[in-house]
Structures are given as C-alpha cells and as structure tokens.
Amino acid sequence: MTLVGLCLCGAAHGQQGRADVATAPFSPAPYRVGERLTYTVAFSNFPTAAHVQLQVVERGPLYGREGVELRAHVETIGVVSAALYALNNTYSTFVDPSTGLPYRSQQSIREGARVQNLTQDYNTPLGDSAPATGRDVPISAGSFDLLSALYRVRALPLAQGATYSISARNGEAVYDAEVRVTGREMVKTNVGSSNAIVTQVRVRGNSAADDYRVRLYFSDDELHIPLLITARHQAGEIRVELASAEVQGGAQTPLAAATPAPAQPNIPLPPGQLPRTTPPAGNPNPRTAPTPAAAAIAPPAELPFKPGEQLNFNFFIGAGAQPVGTASFLVRPRARYFNREGLLFTASLQTTGAGQTLFPVNDLINSYVDASTVLPFRTELTLSEGKRRARFVVSADQTSGNALFEDGSRVEVPIGTHDLVSVFYALRSFDLTPGKRTTVSLLVNKRPRLLFITALRSGTVQLGGQSIAAVELALATNDPGGDKLALRLWVSTDKRRLPLRLTAVTPLGPVRADLAIIPTALQ
C-alpha cells in the first residue's frame, strides 16, 4: 500500500473494542447520512502529499437489505503522485446500521500502473474454493474491512484507560490490532482547537505494521471524529489532519469543547455575491485597488473547466527540441476545504534534463478558491529553486481586503485579489474579445500588483499536429518594466478556453511552454 494507505490502514485496525466487538457498545452517531470529512496528508518534507475524504453517503435498501453506504477517496497529489507513488482509490462499504458490520464492499483501485475494480461480499461463508483474486470475493461473516472498522471504532465508548481490539482485512492481509485510550489533549487542526481522546495503536503479529506507531486523536463527543492521525516512517512522519467537517447536508460539525481558533481571513462570500468594488471604510488602498470594471468581473454560470481537468505543459528554451521543464495543473473536486465550500487547484512545476542541471526547480502550489467566485481564500506555496527552500501559507479575506501569512504578517489587498494559480483559471472566464483589456489584482511576494490582460488578436496555434483557433493575450503588471518579459499567452476560442502556449523573453533566451496535446491521429 502507499504511505497514505498504510497510515489509514493502521488507523482502521486500531479502532475496535477489545471486549468482543459483537457485544461492545454501539453508537449510531458516526453513521449520520451527510457527514463528510476531508483530510490533508503530510509526509516527511511534503506538506501536502495527499488528500483523503470520508463520507456517509446514504441509508436505505442497498443491495437487498437495509444498509448504510460509507465511502472513502484517497489520492496522492503533486510531487508525491508524480515521482513517488500515484494513487487514486475509491472505496465504498455497505454496513448494517445496527452493528456496523459490512456486508458488501466495492473498490476502484488506481495505483501506478495497477488498475483494478473489486467487489467483496461479507455475508457469505468463506468456503475452501473462494478465489484469492477476482471481482467477487466472499468473506466470512463477522469480518471488517478497513473503512467499516474505522467507523465501528468511532461507535465505541473510547473510555479512559480502555483497550479495544479488532481484526480487519485488506485484500489477503488480515490485521489483528488493539487500540488503547491513553489520555486527553487539546488538538489544533484547520477546523479549530478541540479536546481530543488520544489513542495508541498496536498491531499484533505484524512488526512491519506495528513499527508505524500510529496515534489517533478523536473528538471528545459522541461523533468521535478522527481529528488527527500520526505515524512514523523511516523516511519521515506521516500526518493526516482534518481540514473540514460537515454533517447532515452542510451544517458544520460542532467539535466538543471547541476553542475558537485565531481569526483567519477566509470569510466566504454569499453564493453569487460579487466582490465589492471599493475597499471597506478605514482600509483604503487607492494605489493598488483595481478599477471598478476589474473588480466586478463575475465568472459565468458554467465555468470552462471541470473537476478532474489536468493540463500538462512542456517548457523549451529557444529552438531546443528537448523539454527543460514540465508543469502540471489539476482541478480537484468541489468539496469543503478549511471550512469553505470550494475548489482546489494544484500546480506543480519541475525542471528536467538540461534544465535540472542548469537550475533545479521543484515547486508546488495549492490554491483553494471559492466555488462561485473563483477567488482564493487559501494559498500554499512550497518552493525549491536552486538552493532556495521556502514555504508560504496565506489566507485571504476577500470581504475586508486582508491577506494573513502563516508567519503572522498581514498585507492589505484589494477586494478580488487572485494568486498565481487562481488567475490562471479565472482569466479563462474573462471576455477575451480582441481589443478588450481586463485588469485584476494579483498578490505576489507579499505585495499586491495589478495584472493587465490584453486580448491582442485572433489566430491559430500549431500543437500536436493540430491547428487550433486561439486568441493571443499580452500579460503585464503595473510594476516598472512590468512587460519586460514580453509574456504572451494563447488561449483556445472554444468553450474550454484552454491555455495552449505561453512565451517569454528571459536572460536565458526565449522560453516557450506548450500544452501537451495528443496528435489527432492518436485520439
């Protein structure tokens, strides 16, 4: 399994009652339909290595009996996905609502080159002829899988000093584990600070799994929400931290004894409301405020990009035929991130080949944007450029014009300010009629700038053996010499508004980034 899978695996195995699970107290609270928990996974030096989402999807007649559908999605992202392990798995388990025991599970596995769909039936006796592999695998009654085990332990009392045990299966592997309640601590996550029940997981008869020394922190209430999971790995610590929580159709999950976290400038705009065109009273910023026309830009009802869209680019210097770098942009599913309904844009940029020798770059940017305005409320930058190593986290309050950095510094910004990634997507929704000029505010290096996007002319771009209709855009800022790089972007004129080519004039010579497009003959 991947690092994420191993961490969650350990979590699931440790979460069951030591007194026979069949007779242990059972609480239905964790099985409330509509609950959705989102987690960020950090591994070693990668602050955002993966995302995990847990959901209670529905309750009713499911596959011939009354059941509750639990669903989990685990996906590695950025450099971890590209260089270490590509994982994109979805798990659905159908459990008895009165016991939490599973009777059916479905798995969609996408791990590197492995692609597999599995269905397991848990209410059929396991005979000697049961296949070890294949689509339908009967499992003996009374068994848990990882997902159902995770929820079943939440349904336990988790009493102080108690030790619980469970056996859970993952494919052919069976884990016998126990979880001991060791105490209580105040835990701070992205949803605030809360009293937590601290547990330690041990896996019996499996030293490799036991060496992870998994600790789980559950909210100290009837929901027992997993707030934080930590595990140790020889390459570094694994942390699975709660990023957002909601139950019953969107209400925020109250965490027990919650202590309000320090105010974060990430207040959402009401659905459909546009950013104000003037700064609030007492916080003027006339030098950098965008023009009213720029501030009032509204995205169309249907955005030109969809969740799951991935755009890959190759960078070239001069007339060179070999790429010196790559960039990948991905639109993550709409979900609740850091207590906000939004989208997540991820961008990873790396130099390769001669470019890596000349100047090694390995950057990752996560941009969390409002789902209705495409304006960012949180941006995470992890930069590795030559000998420079830096990480920045900024939360933007688009209603009061403030950007708060993780180091505590605060910068006043115009309402409607974008980051480097969100503007890449937002401009695809702008009016790009030749002759049209659009102005937006852009936060770069802790200072807001104006970005001028001018539609120059229509034409065609040759990519992948295709001639694609496009409009040429000039990009410049209001800095002195803001057009010295002569940035030009070609965007397709179809409904997807795809960025096709970016060019610039740099000290190394002309640089070109081309969208990787499958040749027509191969489509």
Side-chain angles (χ1 to χ4, degrees):
M1 298 180 67
T2 67
L3 296 171
V4 175
L6 282 170
C7 188
L8 293 179
C9 168
H13 304 322
Q15 298 165 330
Q16 290 302 321
R18 168 161 239 171
D20 188 354
V21 177
T23 60
F26 178 85
S27 168
Y31 299 88
R32 295 178 183 177
V33 174
E35 180 190 82
R36 179 164 56 180
L37 309 175
T38 303
Y39 297 83
T40 57
V41 182
F43 167 61
S44 186
N45 294 323
F46 301 98
T48 310
H51 284 124
V52 176
Q53 188 171 90
L54 304 176
Q55 287 182 268
V56 182
V57 180
E58 62 177 323
R59 174 173 177 168
L62 301 169
Y63 292 97
R65 58 180 290 182
E66 183 72 13
V68 175
E69 181 184 357
L70 310 175
R71 185 179 300 166
H73 182 78
V74 183
E75 183 176 1
T76 52
I77 62 175
V79 176
V80 172
S81 178
L84 297 181
Y85 203 96
L87 173 80
N88 190 348
N89 293 351
T90 299
Y91 309 87
S92 293
T93 299
F94 302 86
V95 304
D96 186 299
S98 62
T99 65
L101 281 169
Y103 59 88
R104 185 180 180 88
S105 71
Q106 299 170 341
Q107 301 178 17
S108 175
I109 307 298
R110 304 292 184 272
E111 297 181 359
R114 178 191 174 201
V115 177
Q116 191 173 20
N117 295 311
L118 295 173
T119 297
Q120 295 181 329
D121 186 355
Y122 281 79
N123 56 8
T124 299
L126 181 61
D128 294 338
S129 61
T133 60
R135 189 178 188 283
D136 296 296
V137 181
I139 304 297
S140 59
S143 297
F144 286 88
D145 65 359
L146 302 186
L147 184 56
S148 61
L150 176 60
Y151 279 83
R152 180 60 181 93
V153 70
R154 293 177 55 190
L156 292 167
L158 296 180
Q160 177 66 34
T163 300
Y164 304 93
S165 64
I166 185 175
S167 177
R169 177 183 295 271
N170 181 46
E172 292 298 300
V174 177
Y175 299 88
D176 294 317
E178 63 182 27
V179 57
R180 183 166 60 94
V181 180
T182 61
R184 281 169 170 75
E185 293 182 12
M186 182 68 71
V187 172
K188 181 179 179 181
T189 68
N190 291 302
V191 299
S193 298
S194 178
N195 288 332
I197 300 171
V198 185
T199 64
Q200 172 72 58
V201 176
R202 302 303 300 267
V203 182
R204 299 187 298 272
N206 188 328
S207 60
D210 191 55
D211 284 346
Y212 277 86
R213 292 296 190 268
V214 176
R215 287 187 181 273
L216 297 106
Y217 300 77
F218 296 96
S219 64
D220 192 4
D221 58 11
E222 66 171 0
L223 296 178
H224 288 161
I225 291 175
L227 303 173
L228 176 67
I229 303 172
T230 65
R232 76 182 186 189
H233 184 271
Q234 59 184 3
E237 185 187 34
I238 304 170
R239 289 177 61 88
V240 183
E241 181 176 333
L242 183 67
S244 68
E246 60 176 320
V247 296
Q248 296 181 345
Q252 289 299 305
T253 302
L255 300 182
T259 302
Q264 297 290 326
N266 58 356
I267 302 172
L269 294 176
Q273 177 178 320
L274 301 180
R276 297 198 301 269
T277 58
T278 57
N283 185 29
N285 197 350
R287 291 179 299 151
T288 59
T291 63
I297 296 171
E302 182 176 357
L303 295 170
F305 47 84
K306 303 292 184 184
E309 178 193 81
Q310 182 167 350
L311 304 178
N312 300 313
F313 295 84
N314 292 314
F315 287 79
F316 304 88
I317 294 181
Q322 295 300 317
V324 297
T326 62
S328 180
F329 293 80
L330 182 60
V331 182
R332 298 288 171 181
R334 178 168 176 162
R336 291 195 69 83
Y337 299 104
F338 301 96
N339 288 333
R340 289 282 301 273
E341 185 73 20
L343 295 169
L344 169 58
F345 302 143
T346 66
S348 59
L349 303 92
Q350 303 89 27
T351 49
T352 60
Q356 180 73 9
T357 302
L358 184 65
F359 187 69
V361 172
N362 191 350
D363 294 346
L364 174 65
I365 306 175
N366 294 321
S367 176
Y368 301 84
V369 305
D370 186 276
S372 60
T373 65
V374 198
L375 287 170
F377 57 84
R378 179 182 173 92
T379 306
E380 302 167 345
L381 300 93
T382 304
L383 309 179
S384 175
E385 301 172 349
K387 295 182 179 180
R388 180 193 181 202
R389 301 291 185 273
R391 171 171 164 79
F392 302 95
V393 177
V394 57
S395 298
D397 183 347
Q398 297 288 355
T399 62
S400 65
N402 282 290
L404 178 65
F405 287 79
E406 195 174 42
D407 62 7
S409 60
R410 186 183 299 270
V411 177
E412 293 185 0
V413 297
I415 309 258
T417 295
H418 281 279
D419 61 30
L420 289 169
V421 175
S422 69
V423 74
F424 175 81
Y425 287 93
L427 67 80
R428 295 167 61 181
S429 301
F430 296 167
D431 182 355
L432 302 182
T433 304
K436 178 73 174 180
R437 184 183 187 184
T438 305
T439 305
V440 296
S441 178
L442 185 66
L443 182 62
V444 181
N445 294 332
K446 290 192 174 183
R447 186 166 71 85
R449 294 167 168 82
L450 292 183
L451 176 66
F452 305 115
I453 305 168
T454 306
L456 300 178
R457 62 187 65 85
S458 297
T460 60
V461 172
Q462 299 295 321
L463 281 179
Q466 303 177 52
S467 181
I468 305 173
V471 60
E472 180 184 352
L473 309 178
L475 309 178
T477 68
N478 63 333
D479 292 310
D483 192 32
K484 66 180 181 181
L485 296 178
L487 283 169
R488 299 295 183 265
L489 177 66
W490 282 261
V491 177
S492 69
T493 56
D494 62 359
K495 66 179 182 180
R496 292 186 63 188
R497 297 287 192 87
L498 290 171
L500 302 172
R501 173 172 292 162
L502 177 70
T503 64
V505 178
T506 74
L508 298 176
V511 173
R512 182 182 86 254
D514 282 349
L515 178 65
I517 292 183
I518 300 174
T520 304
L522 299 180
Q523 290 184 357

